[in-house]
Amino acid sequence: MVSLPVPIGLHLAGPKGQNPPLLAVQSETNHVINNLQVNNLTTKSSKGSTSTGANMTGVKLRKTIIEQSRRAGVGHIGSALSVADIVSCLYGKVINAKTPRDPERDRFVLSKGHAALALYAAFAERGWITEEQLNTYCGDGSQLGVHPEHCLPGVDFATGSLGQGLSFGTGAALAAKRQKSDRRVFVLLSDAECNEGSVWEAIMFAAQHKLNNLFAILDLNGQQAFGYTKDVLNLSPMDERWKAFGWDVHVVDGHDEEAMAAIIEKNSNVGDKPHVLIAKTTFGKGVSYMESQIKWHYSPLNEAEYELAMTELERQS
Amino acid sequence: MRGAFAKTLTELAAKDSRIYLLTGDLGYMALEPFAEKFPDRFINVGVAEQNMVGIATGLAEAGFIPVVYSIVTFASLRPYEFIRNGPILHQLPVRIAGVGGGVEYGHNGATHYGMEDIGVMRVQPGITVVAPADAGQTKTALEKTYDLPGPVYYRLGKDDRIVVPGLDGKFDLGKTQTIKKGKDVLLLAMGGISYETAKAAELLSKEGIEAEVVIVASVNPAPVEDLKQVLSQYRQAITVEAHYASGGLASLVSEVVAQAGINCKISRCAIEQSPDGETGGQGFLYNKFGLSAEAIATKAKSLLCGVPA
Ligand SMILES: Cc1ncc(C[n+]2csc(CCOP(=O)(O)OP(=O)(O)O)c2C)c(N)n1
Ligand SMILES: [Mg+2]
């Protein structure tokens, strides 16, 4: 797959076009790419294919999540569905990466590594992995395990041990600043991950160093592996906590891709604080019987459940 | 082993009100019986393993017996210094239960493997380290160690179905368990992979090679006398462990051989390389790392070929 030539430092603007790119940088083909053009892109670019993922949607990713979970017989389905719109927003609308290993690409850390299937689904939409590769998910000898492995191009940092991703991302954001690059860093965190003290260490460091190129996106679904967050360690008010630690806080609907993209584009490298999107989400979003159910952290799908899930998602497409 | 551990702990807790169970947000479909029976003595501390060990230290100082529970790597490596400065330094009865030793979390990938837990734990003289081979041995080991005065680390397998033939739930601190007598080669195994080792001995038997199979579940205190005795009878021994080659059983056995000046060559079946990102089921990874029953048997045969009888 050929990447659309998106130059370094180009930040796509919000959905309605009010937010101009922060840096007007010309692409190799000499157009200034703005949001309108990107939004109008079809699956075919001038080079015959696209890997911008412009047609990506959360529902598309959800279908892949359900298909692959069923094929592989593994769980963590609800956790992946929870972030499908966030991942689709990032990989379809936000992340600049000519190739998965382009040194000037925006970095992404899936700190809640157990949702890797959502990431693989986005990689497939972007053409970074083939259908064939996707079908190795959780197979013997695959690079696509339950958690993202660094050997897979596009996985900037291997995760799976909760509470480490924001530190990786903070270092990556500091590196970009020191290298005078406008590349950005996105870290997708889970809410239960914030139980780990290390997360708060990174939060403090990022604020101290004014890393305005760093975006944490917090998947606030209220659930963890063995209970609801309010019953385990109450996290609210989450926005006030991050604010108190010196971050620029945006509370947002984590299933509204346009709204999240707009906030990101407007705030990239802006201000003197790192940014956090407190994304209100529903665990298991899109599959009625999974929504807000602890069981769907671990449980794999049986055939009847699979059929029902696909029927529901079909209706949403 | 995880199921046997939870069940035995629940039984013990009925008799001993000092027992608390703390989990780092894990144990769905495993810890519920304890949680339901003793809701006041069960705490999900959240995804916070360092904090969990710290809390357990405080509880233990006041006379409780807290058991902390997580996946091997999150139970051992993540809070390691807390373990050292807490229960080990203060010699307090904190129990650390790590689930899924070696590469049992196969498809979950490198971040979920426990390949060095025994190594980091056994360098600490002040902690008892137990790596049971199957569910039956887990039950006995927990019963015999739960009320020791100092800390204990348990490396538990996820699988409750495997039964190591001839082990019959035997366990004693500072002792080995011999599950098969032999004469040609000695196989020493630790943890869940003992099952593969027993299978390897069966394969060898079919080819007329009689392997002696010895289980090392009491890692700290090390079964030094038992090991000296059995190693002295063999010229060739193979250690088998789902652990890095350094720090675990191979190191322990090599230390005994070197210190006692025993004339026995030690070969290792262990994980010799860092994970490279290629994931798969435990069976696939055992093949990849040379830890399957077949690979163990092949190694034994090649050793015997190279050594005049
Ligand atoms: C350090 C660490 N401890 C424990 C785990 C096991 N674990 C995986 S997911 C999870 C919690 C799930 O809740 P959350 O993080 O909020 O993710 P969600 O299911 O909502 O996506 C736990 C405890 C882990 N992966 N890493
Ligand atoms: Mg959650």
Side-chain angles (χ1 to χ4, degrees):
Chain A
M1 289 276 178
V2 188
S3 312
L4 193 81
V6 179
I8 299 159
L10 173 72
H11 299 136
L12 306 181
K16 296 198 183 77
Q18 313 96 321
N19 310 313
L22 293 162
L23 298 169
V25 183
Q26 294 198 314
S27 75
E28 287 159 24
T29 44
N30 258 346
H31 330 91
V32 173
I33 300 180
N34 64 31
N35 61 302
L36 292 173
Q37 278 170 286
V38 169
N39 284 346
N40 290 339
L41 276 176
T42 63
T43 46
K44 299 266 179 209
S45 78
S46 53
K47 286 182 182 159
S49 68
T50 181
S51 53
T52 61
N55 288 327
M56 205 182 299
T57 64
V59 174
K60 275 193 192 168
L61 301 192
R62 287 191 175 91
K63 283 190 193 161
T64 305
I65 290 164
I66 295 297
E67 290 281 2
Q68 289 298 327
S69 298
R70 172 65 188 149
R71 194 194 48 70
V74 298
H76 287 129
I77 304 167
S79 306
L81 295 176
S82 185
V83 297
D85 301 305
I86 297 170
V87 172
S88 173
C89 163
L90 290 173
Y91 278 90
K93 297 184 166 60
V94 173
I95 286 177
N96 291 319
K98 276 191 231 172
T99 68
R101 291 287 198 228
D102 168 15
E104 275 303 330
R105 72 195 181 282
D106 289 336
R107 300 295 196 273
F108 176 69
V109 190
L110 183 68
S111 193
K112 51 170 278 184
H114 56 281
L117 186 49
L119 187 64
Y120 304 148
F123 284 5
E125 286 289 320
R126 236 177 133 148
W128 287 2
I129 56 174
T130 61
E131 185 73 24
E132 206 181 352
Q133 254 181 309
L134 190 59
N135 285 331
T136 69
Y137 173 63
C138 284
D140 284 345
S142 177
Q143 295 188 328
L144 277 58
V146 173
H147 302 89
E149 298 282 347
H150 182 60
C151 64
L152 184 69
V155 175
D156 299 330
F157 297 94
T159 49
S161 181
L162 292 169
Q164 299 183 342
L166 191 59
S167 298
F168 298 156
T170 296
L174 181 66
K177 288 289 176 201
R178 294 293 157 100
Q179 290 170 344
K180 308 228 177 311
S181 165
D182 281 322
R183 63 178 190 263
R184 301 162 298 173
V185 179
F186 302 95
V187 181
L188 178 48
L189 294 144
S190 70
D191 44 9
E193 225 188 322
C194 297
N195 296 171
E196 294 280 6
S198 56
V199 171
W200 300 93
E201 296 172 25
I203 289 174
M204 286 187 280
F205 182 95
Q208 177 73 29
H209 292 268
K210 303 183 170 46
L211 299 176
N212 63 5
N213 55 346
L214 176 64
F215 285 86
I217 298 139
L218 188 87
D219 173 31
L220 193 75
N221 60 22
Q223 270 182 237
Q224 47 199 103
F226 206 1
Y228 294 93
T229 56
K230 67 172 170 28
D231 302 324
V232 179
L233 289 180
N234 189 12
L235 299 162
S236 70
M238 200 55 131
D239 51 343
E240 293 299 329
R241 292 178 192 216
W242 288 74
K243 226 174 259 171
F245 277 69
W247 282 54
D248 167 41
V249 179
H250 302 264
V251 178
V252 61
D253 174 356
H255 301 302
D256 185 342
E257 291 191 41
E258 304 293 334
M260 291 187 284
I263 292 168
I264 291 167
E265 296 315 337
K266 196 171 163 197
N267 291 286
S268 295
N269 287 299
V270 170
D272 61 355
K273 290 174 178 173
H275 316 282
V276 60
L277 275 62
I278 310 279
K280 292 188 176 171
T281 55
T282 302
F283 181 90
K285 174 77 176 177
V287 178
S288 59
Y289 60 85
M290 288 191 191
E291 291 189 357
S292 309
Q293 298 302 312
I294 298 290
K295 174 186 170 192
W296 292 102
H297 183 80
Y298 287 115
S299 189
L301 286 160
N302 66 31
E303 191 58 34
E305 289 160 344
Y306 164 76
E307 294 294 346
L308 184 55
M310 288 310 280
T311 310
E312 290 191 15
L313 290 173
E314 212 52 67
R315 258 187 255 131
Q316 296 163 38
S317 335
Chain B
M1 289 179 241
R2 158 173 64 180
F5 185 88
K7 186 164 179 285
T8 308
L9 189 69
T10 309
E11 288 162 10
L12 291 169
K15 289 181 254 170
D16 192 329
S17 62
R18 295 173 299 170
I19 295 175
Y20 264 62
L21 177 56
L22 274 52
T23 177
D25 199 32
L26 281 161
Y28 181 70
M29 301 293 276
L31 303 184
E32 287 84 352
F34 188 105
E36 280 155 24
K37 226 167 166 182
F38 309 108
D40 296 340
R41 290 194 269 150
F42 173 79
I43 306 174
N44 181 358
V45 304
V47 193
E49 297 78 10
Q50 300 183 57
N51 195 33
M52 176 161 70
V53 171
I55 292 164
T57 304
L59 284 167
E61 194 273 336
F64 292 105
I65 300 178
V67 179
V68 304
Y69 181 94
S70 191
I71 293 173
V72 159
T73 177
F74 311 140
S76 61
L77 301 187
R78 187 63 161 268
Y80 186 60
E81 201 200 12
F82 275 72
I83 295 169
R84 189 194 70 164
N85 295 351
I88 296 180
L89 185 62
H90 297 81
Q91 279 303 293
L92 291 168
V94 170
R95 279 77 187 93
I96 297 148
V99 178
V103 291
E104 246 187 312
Y105 275 92
H107 296 292
N108 287 278
T111 57
H112 280 57
Y113 300 160
M115 302 170 294
E116 57 283 88
D117 56 318
I118 296 295
V120 299
M121 287 300 169
R122 67 174 280 271
V123 296
Q124 302 280 346
I127 185 166
T128 299
V129 178
V130 181
D134 65 7
Q137 191 175 43
T138 301
K139 177 174 161 58
T140 315
L142 180 58
E143 286 168 348
K144 288 194 174 176
T145 56
Y146 93 92
D147 61 351
L148 290 175
V152 186
Y153 174 71
Y154 302 96
R155 173 197 245 215
L156 306 171
K158 283 204 290 177
D159 198 330
D160 271 286
R161 293 160 308 180
I162 57 162
V163 177
V164 175
L167 187 53
D168 305 322
K170 289 192 290 284
F171 175 84
D172 276 300
L173 271 181
K175 293 285 197 187
T176 60
Q177 291 77 41
T178 302
I179 60 164
K180 180 182 173 300
K181 285 284 188 190
K183 59 181 175 46
D184 301 316
V185 63
L186 174 62
L187 304 179
L188 296 150
M190 174 186 79
I193 204 161
S194 300
Y195 180 72
E196 295 290 322
T197 314
K199 269 206 317 205
E202 269 175 41
L203 293 174
L204 289 167
S205 256
K206 283 188 194 137
E207 300 192 31
I209 297 166
E210 290 311 320
E212 180 144 349
V213 184
V214 170
I215 308 299
V216 180
S218 172
V219 175
N220 240 3
V224 177
E225 290 311 315
D226 283 4
L227 284 174
K228 276 204 277 201
Q229 216 248 325
V230 70
L231 286 159
S232 306
Q233 297 166 32
Y234 286 89
R235 296 290 302 283
Q236 294 280 359
I238 299 176
T239 55
V240 185
E241 59 197 314
H243 189 279
Y244 279 135
S246 284
L249 181 64
S251 292
L252 188 160
V253 171
S254 302
E255 287 161 18
V256 171
V257 166
Q259 282 181 319
I262 297 166
N263 184 14
C264 178
K265 183 169 179 291
I266 306 300
S267 302
R268 315 182 292 197
C269 280
I271 301 170
E272 304 265 4
Q273 68 191 77
S274 290
D276 57 8
E278 189 186 57
T279 61
Q282 178 171 252
F284 169 83
L285 293 166
Y286 275 0
N287 277 326
K288 178 174 166 130
F289 295 128
L291 292 170
S292 63
E294 291 73 19
I296 299 164
T298 303
K299 183 162 233 162
K301 279 187 285 183
S302 72
L303 288 178
L304 293 175
C305 292
V307 171

